Each structure stands twice: as C-alpha cells, then as structure tokens.
Amino acid sequence: MQYSQEFHKKSISLLADQLGENGISISSLISKISAFQIAVPSWALGAGGTRFGRFSIGGEPRNLEEKLDDIGLLAKLTKRTDAVSLHIPWDIPQDAAAIRQKAADLGIGFDAMNSNTFQDYGQALSYKMGSLSNANADIRKQAVEHNLQVIEIGKSLGSKALTVWLADGSNFPGQAHFRKALQGTSESLQDIYAGMPADWKLLLEYKPYEPNFYHTVIPDWGTSAMLCKQVGDRAKVLVDLGHHLPNTNIEQIVATLMHQNMLAGFHFNDSKFGDDDLSTGSIKPYQLFLIFCELVGGAEENAQTWESISWMIDASHNTKDPIEDLVQALEAISQAYAKALLVDRAKLTHCQVEGDVVGAQEVLQDAFLTDVRALVREARIQSGGEADPLAFYRKEKIREKLIAQRGKDATASGL
Ligand SMILES: [Mn+2]
C-alpha cells in the first residue's frame, strides 16, 4: 500500500502512544528489531528449480562475487541481513582472502557453511545410497572428508558453524538397516565434530521425508537431538520450518529444544504441504508469530540465550524475482518478531495460572493483530535502510540493470 512520509510519522506516533499506555517503550523495540539480522543462503539468489523445470528470472548471479553483490544490495535496502550462508561445492571460493575482503567491504559476514552429500558432483564414490550413514565404510569416510573440507573453507572465510543436512534414507523396506544407519551417522558426525575448531558449532537438520520416501535417517527433532548429545555440546538441532509433517506443532518443538538448550537455529521458509520452500510468512503467518513467541519467551526466561541461536532463510522457488522474495521474507520475519515482543508475558502467565483460557488467547491475539508495519519500517529507516525496499527496487529497475549487466540467461548455481 502507498503511504506518505507524513502518514508514516502519524502511524508511528499513534503506535508509540498505544504501546506507551501498555508500558512498552517504542525505542527499545526499535533497537531490538534493528539488531535482529538474518543470514541469506547463497542458493536463494537465483530462480529455484522443481523436478519439472526451472525458469530463469534473468540477471542471476553467475558466481560467488555476484552472489555477494546481491546480498550486499539486500543488506543496503533492508538492513535486516549481514551474512551469507555458503554451500559447498556450489560456492567454492577461488581466492578466499579476496572473497572475504569483498564481503567485508559490503558489510557481509559468513554464516554457517553447508556441506552437500545429497548429490554427486564428480567425487570418487556415489552418494546414491547415502553418505554419513552409508553401509559402505569407504563412502562414509569420503562424506566425512567432504565435511572436513567444508570446515577448512569456512575457516578461511571466518565462518563459525557447519550445517549438516542429510538426505540419507531409503525408499523401500529392507533397503537400509535402521540401527546401523544411525550408528554410522553418529560415528561420522563425531569424526566431523572432532575436526571442527573449538569455537565452531554444528547445526544438525532433520526432515521427515524427501528425497527418500520410506525412511529418513534423521526424520525428526528427537533423532537429531539424540545424535547431537552423542556428538558433543556444540552440536545442536536446526529447525527448518518446512521439514515437518503437516500440522506439526513447531512452536512446541522450539520450546522443547530451548528447554534443553538444544536449539541451534532456524531455516525460515513457509509451506502448504511439505518442504515447499515458499516465502516465509506467506502461508502461515500466525504460526510464525507463535514460534517467535516461544523464542522471545525462552530467551527472556533464560532457557537459552538469544545470541546462541542462528537465523537463516532457506527458501527457493521458481516464480518470483529472488531479491524481491528475500525482501518480503526479511520483512515477514521482522514483523513476526516485532509482534512477539508485544506479548504481555506477565498477563499471559497470570492467565495460565488462573486457568483463564480466553484471557490467554486475547493476550496473543492482541499482539498478533497489532499492525507493526510502521514500527518495522521506522527501525529500517533509523538503521539507514530504505523506507520501502520493494518500491525502491522496482523504481530503480534493479533487475533490468542486472539483466543488462549479467545477461538474460545468467543462471545461479543451486537446485
Ligand atoms: Mn534447510
């Protein structure tokens, strides 16, 4: 919706009055929203593919340098991201020092490194039947060595974390030995963990199905947490919002993990049916809000510190301009966070103790239904970002400029 500068000022002052009456300071909200930065994955900058096709948006980044340029642009417009999450082998830097310098010049750091043992890319042994869990010890060893190489590349860039997502599993009964697959995975992860610097953390992702459809070695948060406990203190569970069966109570999983200080971080996206990787907040914004309520509550009640959690977008699809999509995602995440900060937690606790179910729901709805767009915009303006990043992007014809510079058929690496 179009808005004038004057309307924005009126909105923010009205909101300040309303929140002030409830004892909430707007300036402390603005500083929290401004400080909250979400990493962008290198594979979200090109049009995503499906099993059926891929439609290039044009002007996609052709190499790591151009991916950094796109994230630098996003950072400049939104002030909501300050890091990139790289994927190896898609993003192997030719000159790590030069890449690190370029990123620093753009105000971009290196978030968690992602290994890839879910496809073959010319390595000696195939991952067709799995990687860290493979029944063949030589393949497990090769997969461990790949992860160790990813750590080395990450060290050269200043990253401090490794994310492991395993596609390992089976498509038919009898294909895999469940217990041996878990044992192999646990031992492989221990070998990887032993090769990690002492200030790194390991983020272990889970997913119920796909690409395997009968069994997945790490299908859920419980299995991931169990493996992490076998591996070490710096191994924790990564929650990818799309990696759940329909209607799973993800906010409860978040609370449970925080209760055990086992939440490593997030992969933000949204879904209607499965691992759809749709834009965060586009399908289930109330769920996203409830997840943030648990995050804010868990941090305030010292279950786990806010700073110990990693934040990243993991979305990619084939019908939007990827930069516009990321602007929308960063906005949706900031809004959900801002709304969760508005929850009257003392009142909520009172309602819980008194058994006031209606009152508790009102507390949450009050926060969720508050229009925080002006607040998030004000935080962005105060940080030096664009008041309306999407409008700016379109007005400046940035995609057209990227197409002129990189070509209509330029394709980013990824799926
Ligand atoms: Mn993910």
Side-chain angles (χ1 to χ4, degrees):
M1 199 182 287
Q2 288 280 344
Y3 68 92
S4 64
Q5 216 174 352
E6 195 191 345
F7 181 78
H8 169 69
K9 280 191 179 141
K10 276 188 206 161
S11 307
I12 202 76
S13 124
L14 199 60
L15 198 57
D17 288 349
Q18 188 199 356
L19 297 177
E21 279 175 21
N22 290 280
I24 304 173
S25 132
I26 203 158
S27 60
S28 103
L29 285 174
I30 287 174
S31 59
K32 282 181 180 168
I33 297 165
S34 300
F36 187 40
Q37 301 285 313
I38 303 120
V40 170
S42 67
W43 58 92
L45 300 159
T50 69
R51 287 191 294 144
F52 303 103
R54 190 178 188 282
F55 305 95
S56 173
I57 195 81
E60 292 181 20
R62 295 164 292 184
N63 49 46
L64 184 49
E65 286 81 353
E66 290 181 355
K67 288 178 186 180
L68 291 176
D69 285 333
D70 284 7
I71 295 174
L73 171 71
L74 262 173
K76 192 161 146 276
L77 298 184
T78 67
K79 295 291 175 184
R80 289 293 162 268
T81 182
D82 63 2
V84 58
S85 188
L86 297 187
H87 186 287
I88 305 299
W90 300 341
D91 302 310
I92 296 175
Q94 299 308 311
D95 180 346
I99 286 291
R100 198 172 175 171
Q101 185 57 51
K102 180 178 174 72
D105 292 344
L106 292 164
I108 301 295
F110 291 90
D111 201 72
M113 302 295 292
N114 299 267
S115 58
N116 176 344
T117 56
F118 54 81
Q119 60 183 183
D120 287 340
Y121 36 83
Q123 81 281 8
L125 303 166
S126 175
Y127 294 129
K128 184 177 178 182
M129 294 299 166
S131 58
L132 297 184
S133 78
N134 202 298
N136 180 326
D138 291 335
I139 298 177
R140 292 201 300 276
K141 188 161 175 278
Q142 175 185 272
V144 167
E145 276 163 10
H146 164 69
N147 277 276
L148 295 175
Q149 283 163 5
V150 173
I151 292 168
E152 287 308 310
I153 295 170
K155 276 160 70 178
S156 71
L157 295 169
S159 170
K160 295 281 180 205
L162 173 72
T163 293
V164 174
W165 170 62
L166 280 191
D168 291 31
S170 59
N171 277 311
F172 298 97
Q175 182 188 329
H177 187 300
F178 295 153
R179 281 181 289 108
K180 284 183 184 169
L182 268 179
Q183 184 61 28
T185 303
S186 177
E187 288 167 9
S188 300
L189 288 170
Q190 289 174 52
D191 290 345
I192 293 166
Y193 188 86
M196 254 179 17
D199 59 346
W200 273 49
K201 71 175 183 179
L202 178 73
L203 301 90
L204 188 60
E205 214 164 336
Y206 58 89
K207 183 174 176 176
Y209 70 93
E210 197 197 30
N212 282 292
F213 293 99
Y214 170 60
H215 124 271
T216 298
V217 176
I218 312 177
D220 52 36
W221 68 271
T223 310
S224 173
M226 180 187 76
L227 287 164
C228 287
K229 291 207 161 160
Q230 291 166 358
V231 169
D233 290 345
R234 287 173 289 114
K236 291 184 183 178
V237 181
L238 174 66
V239 177
D240 181 312
L241 296 183
H243 291 190
H244 301 90
L245 296 175
N247 304 324
T248 297
N249 187 338
I250 303 175
E251 54 272 27
Q252 185 190 0
I253 293 173
V254 169
T256 305
L257 289 170
M258 287 184 88
H259 184 59
Q260 297 288 308
N261 192 16
M262 286 297 288
L263 178 63
F266 269 85
H267 277 181
F268 290 111
N269 50 54
D270 212 340
S271 64
K272 182 72 176 165
F273 299 109
D275 187 23
D276 305 350
D277 277 343
L278 299 175
S279 318
T280 315
S282 63
I283 308 285
K284 290 173 282 195
Y286 193 55
Q287 176 185 262
L288 187 63
F289 161 73
L290 292 174
I291 289 168
F292 269 99
C293 288
E294 294 305 327
L295 288 163
V296 168
E300 278 180 8
E301 291 157 14
N302 298 316
Q304 191 172 335
T305 65
W306 189 261
E307 294 69 31
S308 67
I309 303 169
S310 300
W311 316 99
M312 199 187 95
I313 290 171
D314 182 7
S316 164
H317 43 90
N318 66 356
T319 45
K320 280 180 177 173
D321 177 317
I323 293 177
E324 292 192 345
D325 175 59
L326 287 163
V327 169
Q328 288 183 312
L330 291 167
E331 188 73 1
I333 295 165
S334 302
Q335 285 174 8
Y337 175 46
K339 289 179 180 198
L341 290 171
L342 301 183
V343 171
D344 187 337
R345 304 205 65 84
K347 199 167 170 187
L348 187 62
T349 302
H350 179 74
C351 291
Q352 288 167 351
V353 171
E354 296 296 318
D356 184 358
V357 185
V358 170
Q361 183 182 324
E362 288 297 309
V363 169
L364 293 181
Q365 293 279 335
D366 255 354
F368 179 67
L369 295 174
T370 302
D371 186 350
V372 295
R373 288 175 296 178
L375 184 61
V376 170
R377 186 187 303 130
E378 180 63 20
R380 189 167 48 242
I381 294 169
Q382 286 190 18
S383 303
E386 284 298 323
D388 186 341
L390 266 186
F392 179 87
Y393 181 84
R394 291 189 170 192
K395 182 169 64 69
E396 292 296 313
K397 299 192 183 310
I398 293 178
R399 179 56 59 186
E400 287 86 334
K401 287 175 187 165
L402 290 173
I403 290 173
Q405 184 191 333
R406 300 170 180 172
K408 184 84 195 136
D409 301 322
T411 304
S413 55
L415 290 175

